[in-house]
Amino acid sequence: MTQTINLTLKVWRQGGPGVKGRLDTYHAENISTDMSFLEMLDVVNESLTLDGKEPIAFDYDCREGICGQCGAVVNGRAHGPEKGTTLCQLHMRHFSNGDILVIEPFRARAFRVVKDLVVDRSPLDRIIQAGGYISVNAGGAPDANAAPVPQETAELAMDAAACIGCGACVASCPNASAMLFVGAKVSHLTLLPQGKPEAARRALSMVDTMDTLGFGNCSNERECEAECPKEISITNIARLNREFMKAGFFSNAR
Amino acid sequence: MNWLVKTFSSSIGKKLMMAVTGLCFIGFLMVHLAGNLTVTAGGEVFNAYAAKLHSLGAPLLVMEFVLLALAVVHVITGLYLFYRNVMARPQRYAVNRNAGGRTLGSATMPYTGVVILAFLVIHLTNFTFVDKTGTTIFQIVSNAFQNPVTVLFYTLVMVVVALHVSHGLWSALQTIGANHPKYMPVVMAASLIFAVVVGIGFGFLPIYFSLIA
Ligand code: HEM
Ligand code: SF4
Ligand code: FES
């Protein structure tokens, strides 16, 4: 049997970048507990539209937890209160009838609010452009297993590669630091033989870009690890620190 | 040398300076605690330890200047990082909730740090930069701890120091890249144990002095 619940929402409404915003109150009624959080917002938006009001702007794409496009802070928790879950995969059965939900955009100096809950996360793309790639000349595909990779190393690289670039680590960090994201990206490439040749330049350039974009400094609060929907570990931040030190003090890269 | 400046002025470089200077202070705390605990063997032993320490002469002076330099780096970098981190989120959240990573120690680092700084100034004027002619260090310290307010103040500040190192020790190791899945649980436990030892060890000293004097 499908259950329904009624909720009070306090949603951040902001007309555009740089303009003043505020929390507005809405009532979400007869919400099926089988719905996802975004479907609940769809229902609210439908009634807003029918009333001739501006619907709440929020970001999404896949709605299956793999693209990293969705995200908001619900009652102080990025992607809501469930561990290892994106906002689109968060189901309303985790809430109770009568709950009051404060919904805010991901907040950081580096993430400009575009509208309501939509933020501009292109600074993360700028960090990727600074070094989150490998350079190879295209040609015939190399033999499989030409470059052997130990199973454990492949697993570590795959775990880091699970990062979907959602920015929840930045949103949940008390310092708005992007170190978990950068740690994941650097680890994912640097652990594998294809990523090794550019490892030093990558570490220096990605950290430098991260710093200039206005992200905060990591102080090992571990909130990112607790909130990351892909449960990326802070061992990746320690690896980034090692890679950065190796590159800064012992490599020829500058 | 441009590369050296660039490496240290990056966010990770600044953290590295915090970690290395912080670890040096942790080493200092251990030596200082061991030295102070000689008082449990009696006032003469404590005085003898102090005399021995000061008879080192020049090397001691060098160590003191090194500590001062480390403190300048730790304090200035720490306050600058704190300022930058506040600036990194100009619009705060209406609702703040902990997801389980933050601890009391980690959330209060800048504040406990400032308390320690203020304490250091008072502590040095109390016991280091005083006229020691015709008296002993044991006498000076015992006299100071005749005042219950001083005892309470010193003991409370030692709890603050314990809080600072409870996050500081493991955090510094994470910063220098020493995170290993096999050892991290041990490192976390060691941080907590060290904090308790520092809190109880130093916190007990003022009370002990006030009792035996
Ligand atoms: C006995 C004295 C002290 C000891 C043993 C100590 C130790 C440490 C250690 C080990 C860290 C961790 C570094 C890292 O996370 O990489 C740290 C961080 C910090 N300390 Fe201290 N410290 C002392 C005094 C102070 C003072 C006087 C201040 C300043 C006013 C201060 C401010 C800070 C701040 C703000 C941080 C956090 C930096 C960050 O992670 O962004 N500390 N301290
Ligand atoms: S590390 Fe986790 S929280 Fe940060 S961007 Fe990647 S998936 Fe999102
Ligand atoms: S919409 Fe793709 S991860 Fe949520």
Side-chain angles (χ1 to χ4, degrees):
Chain A
M1 247 278 291
T2 304
Q3 250 196 314
T4 63
I5 54 174
N6 298 328
L7 303 161
T8 306
L9 309 182
K10 291 180 190 294
V11 185
W12 184 259
R13 302 305 304 263
Q14 181 172 338
V19 304
K20 229 175 118 56
R22 61 166 197 281
L23 286 171
D24 272 355
T25 306
Y26 302 94
H27 296 282
E29 262 142 35
N30 295 322
I31 299 298
S32 157
T33 50
D34 292 337
M35 280 183 188
S36 74
F37 199 89
L38 300 190
E39 284 165 341
M40 181 274 291
L41 289 179
D42 288 336
V43 170
V44 173
N45 273 347
E46 208 157 278
S47 72
L48 282 176
T49 312
L50 288 175
D51 290 347
K53 291 186 187 136
E54 184 76 12
I56 301 160
F58 62 91
D59 236 341
Y60 63 89
D61 189 3
C62 70
R63 295 208 178 195
E64 54 185 21
I66 56 169
C67 75
Q69 196 64 23
C70 64
V73 172
V74 182
N75 284 350
R77 301 282 307 272
H79 290 298
E82 282 293 300
K83 213 175 150 42
T85 311
T86 55
L87 196 63
C88 60
Q89 287 291 295
L90 174 66
H91 285 84
M92 296 314 291
R93 56 177 164 271
H94 298 297
F95 298 93
S96 317
N97 194 30
D99 277 359
I100 300 171
L101 305 182
V102 179
I103 310 173
E104 300 174 81
F106 283 179
R107 294 206 185 281
R109 165 181 296 270
F111 291 169
R112 201 171 41 111
V113 173
V114 177
K115 192 176 182 194
D116 301 341
L117 304 176
V118 179
V119 296
D120 176 9
R121 279 164 299 179
S122 61
L124 297 184
D125 301 333
R126 300 263 303 276
I127 297 175
I128 294 293
Q129 285 160 6
Y133 52 79
I134 58 163
S135 309
V136 278
N137 294 323
D143 273 352
N145 301 328
V149 181
Q151 174 67 16
E152 305 93 81
T153 311
E155 288 290 345
L156 287 175
M158 278 304 283
D159 286 348
C163 166
I164 53 178
C166 64
C169 42
V170 178
S172 58
C173 174
N175 311 322
S177 160
M179 283 287 278
L180 192 62
F181 170 78
V182 180
K185 296 304 174 191
V186 161
S187 294
H188 145 53
L189 294 170
T190 301
L191 280 163
L192 297 176
Q194 294 86 346
K196 291 252 190 308
E198 288 160 303
R201 194 161 13 107
R202 175 182 308 116
L204 294 181
S205 157
M206 287 179 84
V207 169
D208 187 43
T209 307
M210 170 183 83
D211 289 349
T212 51
L213 289 170
F215 291 102
N217 305 273
C218 176
S219 59
N220 301 325
E221 300 271 11
R222 293 179 297 164
E223 286 290 301
C224 55
E225 182 183 60
E227 291 288 35
C228 171
K230 299 297 153 187
E231 303 183 286
I232 303 287
S233 158
I234 57 163
T235 51
N236 292 294
I237 296 182
R239 186 178 296 103
L240 169 60
N241 291 340
R242 292 197 296 273
E243 289 297 324
F244 182 82
M245 279 186 267
K246 259 196 284 180
F249 297 123
F250 307 114
S251 83
N252 289 326
R254 30 184 93 220
Chain B
M1 289 313 267
N2 185 24
W3 59 269
L4 196 64
V5 175
K6 210 173 150 197
T7 305
F8 275 117
S9 51
S10 69
S11 57
I12 297 181
K14 291 196 205 87
K15 280 288 296 174
L16 213 52
M17 294 197 281
M18 289 309 283
V20 172
T21 52
L23 286 175
C24 290
F25 292 146
I26 284 178
F28 164 77
L29 283 184
M30 291 192 204
V31 175
H32 194 38
L33 181 60
N36 286 351
L37 284 176
T38 56
V39 75
T40 55
E44 312 79 61
V45 183
F46 183 67
N47 279 335
Y49 156 71
K52 188 96 188 156
L53 190 65
H54 286 281
S55 71
L56 290 177
L60 182 71
L61 206 63
V62 171
M63 287 287 276
E64 285 175 343
F65 273 103
V66 168
L67 274 177
L68 180 66
L70 294 176
V72 169
V73 171
H74 192 84
V75 169
I76 291 179
T77 315
L79 293 178
Y80 180 69
L81 284 172
F82 176 54
Y83 165 74
R84 286 298 299 255
N85 289 342
V86 171
M87 295 311 282
R89 180 167 289 131
Q91 168 97 47
R92 315 303 289 184
Y93 289 110
V95 179
N96 286 289
R97 197 151 296 167
N98 198 319
R102 242 181 165 190
T103 60
L104 186 58
S106 77
T108 54
M109 287 308 267
Y111 317 115
T112 49
V114 168
V115 170
I116 296 171
L117 182 62
F119 166 79
L120 282 178
V121 175
I122 297 172
H123 181 51
L124 292 179
T125 35
N126 278 352
F127 297 145
T128 305
F129 303 113
V130 286
D131 185 10
K132 288 175 186 158
T133 45
T135 179
T136 65
I137 188 65
F138 177 72
Q139 263 310 310
I140 296 173
V141 178
S142 303
N143 283 345
F145 288 138
Q146 289 303 299
N147 186 346
V149 178
T150 313
V151 174
L152 189 69
F153 171 70
Y154 266 71
T155 302
L156 284 183
V157 171
M158 291 312 114
V159 176
V160 167
V161 174
L163 215 54
H164 197 81
V165 295
S166 72
H167 178 69
L169 181 51
W170 91 264
S171 173
L173 291 173
Q174 162 81 3
T175 299
I176 62 172
N179 183 330
H180 189 284
K182 276 188 189 158
Y183 299 110
M184 220 47 196
V186 181
V187 168
M188 303 296 276
S191 280
L192 219 60
I193 293 169
F194 180 69
V196 171
V197 168
V198 164
I200 294 182
F202 276 111
F204 148 87
L205 281 165
I207 300 171
Y208 185 76
F209 269 100
S210 71
L211 290 181
I212 61 163

